[in-house]
């Protein structure tokens, strides 16, 4: 007799498993969900938005569990269910993308509101049913004008099915999943746009995948070979007319907002008068705002009046459609850069840029956006630091799934990226171009000047707060009192083993005349070496040095 999988406890580990399974399920279904996306805007990105939202939630959960894992700090206890589910919901909130991702974030917040309270003595099954009911209720409240036949309908049906079951958490999750599947199948008859296209709701498809992952996490059983019911044969897709042609909103505006709840109530009223597809989710002072408008500036200004908006994203639907329908370029370079000046420099050289701050990896979503903007069959991805490699790997895998050929050149400094970009040849074969760019980056030694924030031990000795540190290939080689003198000492060491070209990238606060002094120093001490100077701009290091 076959051994039945053992049900899992509703705990932090179950949330972790749910998150990883949901992300994998959305990754498998992403392209199919994009293909049936016709409502509220036929922009073929619902699957991608749900995946990126889930990816942000999974990353936040992983980081939270790592902080509380036994052995990380002596005496640290494992994460509790409330800690895990709150981290999961918070990650979805800060990374929510599009209409569907924003609703998914609020659904997870509703689940967290109940499971995060962790009432003593409640059985896991009824507790999960209550959490799913709260999730559906809060999602409906977050949408200014709820429409049936959408993701909301599927969430409501799942909650009702879960509430009708008395049993374990796994049994409740299975009922929710099956209720969601049944509701999804009815959506073409509830929403005219879906009926004309002959498809089910795309957001509802994603929610079915997430609920299937929940059932699998709690039961150990797979929900089936096709957890998301997408037609096996491509249907005749009849997209809705372009928003501008209908006289509807032309822009999607999304931002995170720090504001009090009463200010958000006023914001909802203001945005509702500006456009449609309004969804405001969150709470406890942090909100994610999504709206379709004709005046994106007014939507952002309304956020400023309510609190502090940030991570503002404005998308023009017409531009997205034109990009999607335009023929792809053969090859493009996507570069992660530190500093506004370097970003402009790389853009002038033809690269699609992703701004980042030193030590902070860019969001996977921002890198994927850049690959989409590049709109090419082949992409060379230039990263800038070891901290970017994990994100670059995730983006490369996602792009390859979209049929884009991707190569990652793991540069460790902006000057190596500039060297690689200088030899980029779009007319050469892809492999030849990648090898040439990689060789140019690898042949460039890099230096950097930084100011010590505190006393510490370095490979060059003990430094004090305020000392200027000269790094060569990532290690501290010189400790000095002033920027010019330390820069000259670093240059002398770097040029001691030879070189033909020195590249200087100046930060925003370097002393006047530093570039001229260093250029004169190189010319006097090394007659055959040329020097080029660039301004890194805001967010760049005080001084970067490259020697080729």
């Amino acid at each position: 007799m076959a051994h039945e999988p053992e049900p899992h406890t509703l705990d932090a580990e179950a949330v972790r498993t749910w998150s990883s399974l949901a992300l994998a399920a959305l990754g498998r279904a992403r392209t199919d969900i994009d293909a049936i996306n016709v409502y509220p805007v036929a922009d073929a990105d619902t699957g991608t938005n749900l995946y990126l939202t889930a990816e942000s939630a999974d990353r936040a959960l992983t980081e939270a569990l790592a902080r509380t894992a036994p052995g990380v700090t002596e005496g640290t206890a494992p994460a509790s269910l409330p800690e895990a589910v709150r981290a999961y919901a918070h990650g979805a909130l800060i990374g929510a993308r599009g209409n569907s991702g924003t609703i998914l974030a609020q659904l997870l917040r509703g689940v967290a509101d109940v499971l995060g309270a962790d009432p003593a003595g409640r059985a896991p099954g009824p507790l999960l049913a209550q959490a799913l009911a709260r999730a559906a209720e809060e999602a409906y409240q977050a949408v200014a004008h709820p429409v049936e036949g959408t993701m909301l309908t599927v969430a409501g049906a799942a909650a009702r099915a879960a509430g009708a079951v008395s049993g374990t958490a796994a049994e409740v999750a299975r009922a929710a999943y099956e209720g969601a599947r049944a509701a999804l199948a009815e959506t073409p008859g509830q929403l005219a746009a879906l009926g004309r296209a002959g498809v089910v709701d795309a957001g509802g498809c994603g929610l079915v995948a997430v609920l299937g992952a929940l059932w699998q996490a709690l039961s150990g059983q797979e929900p089936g070979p096709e957890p998301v019911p997408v037609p096996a044969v491509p249907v005749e897709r009849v997209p809705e007319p372009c928003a501008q042609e209908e006289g509807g909103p032309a822009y999607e505006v999304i931002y995170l907002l720090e504001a009090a709840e009463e200010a958000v109530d006023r914001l909802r009223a203001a945005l509702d008068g500006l456009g449609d597809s309004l969804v405001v989710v969150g709470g406890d002072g942090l909100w994610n705002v999504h709206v379709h408008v004709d005046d994106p500036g007014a939507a952002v200004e309304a956020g400023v009046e309510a609190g502090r908006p940030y991570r503002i994203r404005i998308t023009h639907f017409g531009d997205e459609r034109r990009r999607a329908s335009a023929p792809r370029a053969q090859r493009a370079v996507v570069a992660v850069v530190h500093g506004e000046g370097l970003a402009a420099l790389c853009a002038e050289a033809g690269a699609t840029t992703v701004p980042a701050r030193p030590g902070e990896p860019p969001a996977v979503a921002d890198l994927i956006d850049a690959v989409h903007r590049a709109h090419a069959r082949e992409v060379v991805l230039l990263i800038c630091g070891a901290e970017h490699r994990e994100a670059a790997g995730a983006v490369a895998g996602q792009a390859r799934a979209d049929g884009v050929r991707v190569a990652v050149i793991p540069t460790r400094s902006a000057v190596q990226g500039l060297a690689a970009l200088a030899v980029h040849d779009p007319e050469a074969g892809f492999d030849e171009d990648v090898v040439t760019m990689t060789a140019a980056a690898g042949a460039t030694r890099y230096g950097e000047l930084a100011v010590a924030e505190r006393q510490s031990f370095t490979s060059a000795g003990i430094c004090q707060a305020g000392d200027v540190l000269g790094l060569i290939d990532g290690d501290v080689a010189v400790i000095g009192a002033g920027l010019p003198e330390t820069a000259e000492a670093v240059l002398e060491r770097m040029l001691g083993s030879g070189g033909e070209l020195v590249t200087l990238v100046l930060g925003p606060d370097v002393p006047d005349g530093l570039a001229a002094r260093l250029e004169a120093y190189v010319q006097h001490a090394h007659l055959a070496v040329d020097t080029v100077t660039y301004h890194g701009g805001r967010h760049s290091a005080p001084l970067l040095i490259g020697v080729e």
Side-chain angles (χ1 to χ4, degrees), residues 140-163:
Y140 267 95
Q141 292 174 350
V143 178
H145 302 284
V147 174
E148 295 303 329
T150 64
M151 190 175 182
L152 295 175
T153 304
V154 176
R160 289 190 295 274

PDB file of all heavy atoms in Angstrom, residues 140-163:
ATOM      1  N   TYR A 140     -11.152  43.067  -1.271  1.00  0.00           N
ATOM      2  CA  TYR A 140     -12.310  43.791  -1.812  1.00  0.00           C
ATOM      3  C   TYR A 140     -12.297  45.240  -1.339  1.00  0.00           C
ATOM      4  O   TYR A 140     -12.588  46.173  -2.101  1.00  0.00           O
ATOM      5  CB  TYR A 140     -13.613  43.109  -1.381  1.00  0.00           C
ATOM      6  CG  TYR A 140     -14.146  42.098  -2.374  1.00  0.00           C
ATOM      7  CD1 TYR A 140     -13.849  40.751  -2.235  1.00  0.00           C
ATOM      8  CD2 TYR A 140     -14.936  42.495  -3.442  1.00  0.00           C
ATOM      9  CE1 TYR A 140     -14.335  39.811  -3.137  1.00  0.00           C
ATOM     10  CE2 TYR A 140     -15.432  41.571  -4.353  1.00  0.00           C
ATOM     11  CZ  TYR A 140     -15.125  40.222  -4.191  1.00  0.00           C
ATOM     12  OH  TYR A 140     -15.602  39.313  -5.095  1.00  0.00           O
ATOM     13  N   GLN A 141     -11.959  45.461  -0.065  1.00  0.00           N
ATOM     14  CA  GLN A 141     -11.949  46.820   0.472  1.00  0.00           C
ATOM     15  C   GLN A 141     -10.842  47.669  -0.133  1.00  0.00           C
ATOM     16  O   GLN A 141     -10.974  48.887  -0.234  1.00  0.00           O
ATOM     17  CB  GLN A 141     -11.786  46.758   1.996  1.00  0.00           C
ATOM     18  CG  GLN A 141     -12.988  46.181   2.723  1.00  0.00           C
ATOM     19  CD  GLN A 141     -12.745  46.008   4.219  1.00  0.00           C
ATOM     20  OE1 GLN A 141     -11.612  46.155   4.690  1.00  0.00           O
ATOM     21  NE2 GLN A 141     -13.791  45.678   4.959  1.00  0.00           N
ATOM     22  N   ALA A 142      -9.756  47.037  -0.564  1.00  0.00           N
ATOM     23  CA  ALA A 142      -8.624  47.788  -1.110  1.00  0.00           C
ATOM     24  C   ALA A 142      -8.883  48.302  -2.513  1.00  0.00           C
ATOM     25  O   ALA A 142      -8.259  49.273  -2.948  1.00  0.00           O
ATOM     26  CB  ALA A 142      -7.371  46.909  -1.116  1.00  0.00           C
ATOM     27  N   VAL A 143      -9.791  47.647  -3.237  1.00  0.00           N
ATOM     28  CA  VAL A 143     -10.089  48.035  -4.618  1.00  0.00           C
ATOM     29  C   VAL A 143     -11.224  49.056  -4.606  1.00  0.00           C
ATOM     30  O   VAL A 143     -12.289  48.807  -4.031  1.00  0.00           O
ATOM     31  CB  VAL A 143     -10.478  46.804  -5.465  1.00  0.00           C
ATOM     32  CG1 VAL A 143     -10.842  47.224  -6.883  1.00  0.00           C
ATOM     33  CG2 VAL A 143      -9.320  45.804  -5.487  1.00  0.00           C
ATOM     34  N   ALA A 144     -11.016  50.189  -5.245  1.00  0.00           N
ATOM     35  CA  ALA A 144     -12.007  51.272  -5.191  1.00  0.00           C
ATOM     36  C   ALA A 144     -13.346  50.843  -5.774  1.00  0.00           C
ATOM     37  O   ALA A 144     -14.402  51.151  -5.217  1.00  0.00           O
ATOM     38  CB  ALA A 144     -11.473  52.497  -5.927  1.00  0.00           C
ATOM     39  N   HIS A 145     -13.315  50.127  -6.899  1.00  0.00           N
ATOM     40  CA  HIS A 145     -14.554  49.696  -7.551  1.00  0.00           C
ATOM     41  C   HIS A 145     -14.407  48.227  -7.949  1.00  0.00           C
ATOM     42  O   HIS A 145     -14.040  47.913  -9.084  1.00  0.00           O
ATOM     43  CB  HIS A 145     -14.841  50.563  -8.782  1.00  0.00           C
ATOM     44  CG  HIS A 145     -14.947  52.031  -8.467  1.00  0.00           C
ATOM     45  ND1 HIS A 145     -16.053  52.587  -7.863  1.00  0.00           N
ATOM     46  CD2 HIS A 145     -14.059  53.050  -8.654  1.00  0.00           C
ATOM     47  CE1 HIS A 145     -15.863  53.886  -7.693  1.00  0.00           C
ATOM     48  NE2 HIS A 145     -14.663  54.193  -8.168  1.00  0.00           N
ATOM     49  N   PRO A 146     -14.694  47.315  -7.026  1.00  0.00           N
ATOM     50  CA  PRO A 146     -14.521  45.884  -7.311  1.00  0.00           C
ATOM     51  C   PRO A 146     -15.372  45.433  -8.492  1.00  0.00           C
ATOM     52  O   PRO A 146     -16.501  45.884  -8.678  1.00  0.00           O
ATOM     53  CB  PRO A 146     -14.979  45.214  -6.015  1.00  0.00           C
ATOM     54  CG  PRO A 146     -14.879  46.280  -4.968  1.00  0.00           C
ATOM     55  CD  PRO A 146     -15.178  47.566  -5.666  1.00  0.00           C
ATOM     56  N   VAL A 147     -14.814  44.546  -9.290  1.00  0.00           N
ATOM     57  CA  VAL A 147     -15.492  43.988 -10.471  1.00  0.00           C
ATOM     58  C   VAL A 147     -15.510  42.479 -10.324  1.00  0.00           C
ATOM     59  O   VAL A 147     -14.478  41.858 -10.021  1.00  0.00           O
ATOM     60  CB  VAL A 147     -14.760  44.395 -11.768  1.00  0.00           C
ATOM     61  CG1 VAL A 147     -15.383  43.700 -12.976  1.00  0.00           C
ATOM     62  CG2 VAL A 147     -14.794  45.904 -11.937  1.00  0.00           C
ATOM     63  N   GLU A 148     -16.666  41.872 -10.541  1.00  0.00           N
ATOM     64  CA  GLU A 148     -16.756  40.414 -10.462  1.00  0.00           C
ATOM     65  C   GLU A 148     -16.233  39.785 -11.755  1.00  0.00           C
ATOM     66  O   GLU A 148     -16.246  40.396 -12.818  1.00  0.00           O
ATOM     67  CB  GLU A 148     -18.196  39.988 -10.202  1.00  0.00           C
ATOM     68  CG  GLU A 148     -18.724  40.438  -8.839  1.00  0.00           C
ATOM     69  CD  GLU A 148     -17.882  39.950  -7.675  1.00  0.00           C
ATOM     70  OE1 GLU A 148     -17.284  38.853  -7.774  1.00  0.00           O
ATOM     71  OE2 GLU A 148     -17.794  40.675  -6.665  1.00  0.00           O
ATOM     72  N   GLY A 149     -15.788  38.548 -11.629  1.00  0.00           N
ATOM     73  CA  GLY A 149     -15.169  37.868 -12.760  1.00  0.00           C
ATOM     74  C   GLY A 149     -13.658  38.078 -12.773  1.00  0.00           C
ATOM     75  O   GLY A 149     -12.994  37.793 -13.763  1.00  0.00           O
ATOM     76  N   THR A 150     -13.133  38.572 -11.651  1.00  0.00           N
ATOM     77  CA  THR A 150     -11.711  38.889 -11.552  1.00  0.00           C
ATOM     78  C   THR A 150     -11.076  38.074 -10.422  1.00  0.00           C
ATOM     79  O   THR A 150     -11.695  37.197  -9.827  1.00  0.00           O
ATOM     80  CB  THR A 150     -11.495  40.384 -11.272  1.00  0.00           C
ATOM     81  OG1 THR A 150     -12.059  40.696  -9.999  1.00  0.00           O
ATOM     82  CG2 THR A 150     -12.156  41.244 -12.344  1.00  0.00           C
ATOM     83  N   MET A 151      -9.861  38.421 -10.112  1.00  0.00           N
ATOM     84  CA  MET A 151      -9.110  37.808  -9.017  1.00  0.00           C
ATOM     85  C   MET A 151      -9.871  37.910  -7.699  1.00  0.00           C
ATOM     86  O   MET A 151      -9.792  37.021  -6.839  1.00  0.00           O
ATOM     87  CB  MET A 151      -7.768  38.530  -8.929  1.00  0.00           C
ATOM     88  CG  MET A 151      -6.729  37.940  -8.043  1.00  0.00           C
ATOM     89  SD  MET A 151      -5.218  38.932  -8.257  1.00  0.00           S
ATOM     90  CE  MET A 151      -4.109  38.033  -7.161  1.00  0.00           C
ATOM     91  N   LEU A 152     -10.615  38.987  -7.505  1.00  0.00           N
ATOM     92  CA  LEU A 152     -11.393  39.159  -6.279  1.00  0.00           C
ATOM     93  C   LEU A 152     -12.460  38.091  -6.157  1.00  0.00           C
ATOM     94  O   LEU A 152     -12.700  37.543  -5.069  1.00  0.00           O
ATOM     95  CB  LEU A 152     -12.036  40.549  -6.253  1.00  0.00           C
ATOM     96  CG  LEU A 152     -11.097  41.749  -6.183  1.00  0.00           C
ATOM     97  CD1 LEU A 152     -11.897  43.044  -6.298  1.00  0.00           C
ATOM     98  CD2 LEU A 152     -10.281  41.732  -4.897  1.00  0.00           C
ATOM     99  N   THR A 153     -13.131  37.789  -7.262  1.00  0.00           N
ATOM    100  CA  THR A 153     -14.164  36.758  -7.263  1.00  0.00           C
ATOM    101  C   THR A 153     -13.572  35.409  -6.868  1.00  0.00           C
ATOM    102  O   THR A 153     -14.152  34.655  -6.088  1.00  0.00           O
ATOM    103  CB  THR A 153     -14.802  36.657  -8.661  1.00  0.00           C
ATOM    104  OG1 THR A 153     -15.302  37.934  -9.043  1.00  0.00           O
ATOM    105  CG2 THR A 153     -15.929  35.640  -8.678  1.00  0.00           C
ATOM    106  N   VAL A 154     -12.416  35.100  -7.432  1.00  0.00           N
ATOM    107  CA  VAL A 154     -11.750  33.834  -7.131  1.00  0.00           C
ATOM    108  C   VAL A 154     -11.360  33.779  -5.653  1.00  0.00           C
ATOM    109  O   VAL A 154     -11.519  32.747  -4.994  1.00  0.00           O
ATOM    110  CB  VAL A 154     -10.513  33.659  -8.036  1.00  0.00           C
ATOM    111  CG1 VAL A 154      -9.741  32.400  -7.669  1.00  0.00           C
ATOM    112  CG2 VAL A 154     -10.943  33.607  -9.504  1.00  0.00           C
ATOM    113  N   ALA A 155     -10.864  34.899  -5.106  1.00  0.00           N
ATOM    114  CA  ALA A 155     -10.488  34.938  -3.693  1.00  0.00           C
ATOM    115  C   ALA A 155     -11.709  34.745  -2.793  1.00  0.00           C
ATOM    116  O   ALA A 155     -11.648  34.021  -1.788  1.00  0.00           O
ATOM    117  CB  ALA A 155      -9.815  36.269  -3.376  1.00  0.00           C
ATOM    118  N   GLY A 156     -12.815  35.378  -3.148  1.00  0.00           N
ATOM    119  CA  GLY A 156     -14.031  35.229  -2.353  1.00  0.00           C
ATOM    120  C   GLY A 156     -14.545  33.804  -2.365  1.00  0.00           C
ATOM    121  O   GLY A 156     -14.954  33.265  -1.326  1.00  0.00           O
ATOM    122  N   ALA A 157     -14.529  33.158  -3.532  1.00  0.00           N
ATOM    123  CA  ALA A 157     -14.988  31.770  -3.636  1.00  0.00           C
ATOM    124  C   ALA A 157     -14.086  30.842  -2.836  1.00  0.00           C
ATOM    125  O   ALA A 157     -14.556  29.910  -2.181  1.00  0.00           O
ATOM    126  CB  ALA A 157     -15.021  31.351  -5.103  1.00  0.00           C
ATOM    127  N   ALA A 158     -12.787  31.086  -2.889  1.00  0.00           N
ATOM    128  CA  ALA A 158     -11.854  30.257  -2.118  1.00  0.00           C
ATOM    129  C   ALA A 158     -12.137  30.378  -0.627  1.00  0.00           C
ATOM    130  O   ALA A 158     -12.119  29.376   0.105  1.00  0.00           O
ATOM    131  CB  ALA A 158     -10.426  30.678  -2.427  1.00  0.00           C
ATOM    132  N   ALA A 159     -12.404  31.590  -0.152  1.00  0.00           N
ATOM    133  CA  ALA A 159     -12.675  31.810   1.265  1.00  0.00           C
ATOM    134  C   ALA A 159     -13.968  31.107   1.687  1.00  0.00           C
ATOM    135  O   ALA A 159     -14.025  30.493   2.756  1.00  0.00           O
ATOM    136  CB  ALA A 159     -12.759  33.303   1.551  1.00  0.00           C
ATOM    137  N   ARG A 160     -14.997  31.194   0.855  1.00  0.00           N
ATOM    138  CA  ARG A 160     -16.270  30.535   1.208  1.00  0.00           C
ATOM    139  C   ARG A 160     -16.105  29.017   1.251  1.00  0.00           C
ATOM    140  O   ARG A 160     -16.640  28.350   2.142  1.00  0.00           O
ATOM    141  CB  ARG A 160     -17.351  30.931   0.206  1.00  0.00           C
ATOM    142  CG  ARG A 160     -17.809  32.382   0.341  1.00  0.00           C
ATOM    143  CD  ARG A 160     -19.041  32.662  -0.504  1.00  0.00           C
ATOM    144  NE  ARG A 160     -18.762  32.526  -1.926  1.00  0.00           N
ATOM    145  CZ  ARG A 160     -18.280  33.500  -2.690  1.00  0.00           C
ATOM    146  NH1 ARG A 160     -17.990  34.687  -2.147  1.00  0.00           N
ATOM    147  NH2 ARG A 160     -18.084  33.313  -3.986  1.00  0.00           N
ATOM    148  N   ALA A 161     -15.367  28.472   0.281  1.00  0.00           N
ATOM    149  CA  ALA A 161     -15.148  27.025   0.273  1.00  0.00           C
ATOM    150  C   ALA A 161     -14.347  26.591   1.497  1.00  0.00           C
ATOM    151  O   ALA A 161     -14.628  25.548   2.095  1.00  0.00           O
ATOM    152  CB  ALA A 161     -14.423  26.625  -1.008  1.00  0.00           C
ATOM    153  N   ALA A 162     -13.363  27.381   1.870  1.00  0.00           N
ATOM    154  CA  ALA A 162     -12.563  27.049   3.047  1.00  0.00           C
ATOM    155  C   ALA A 162     -13.404  27.091   4.316  1.00  0.00           C
ATOM    156  O   ALA A 162     -13.256  26.253   5.214  1.00  0.00           O
ATOM    157  CB  ALA A 162     -11.388  28.017   3.162  1.00  0.00           C
ATOM    158  N   GLY A 163     -14.297  28.062   4.409  1.00  0.00           N
ATOM    159  CA  GLY A 163     -15.128  28.209   5.596  1.00  0.00           C
ATOM    160  C   GLY A 163     -16.163  27.114   5.745  1.00  0.00           C
ATOM    161  O   GLY A 163     -16.702  26.919   6.844  1.00  0.00           O
TER     162      GLY A 163
END
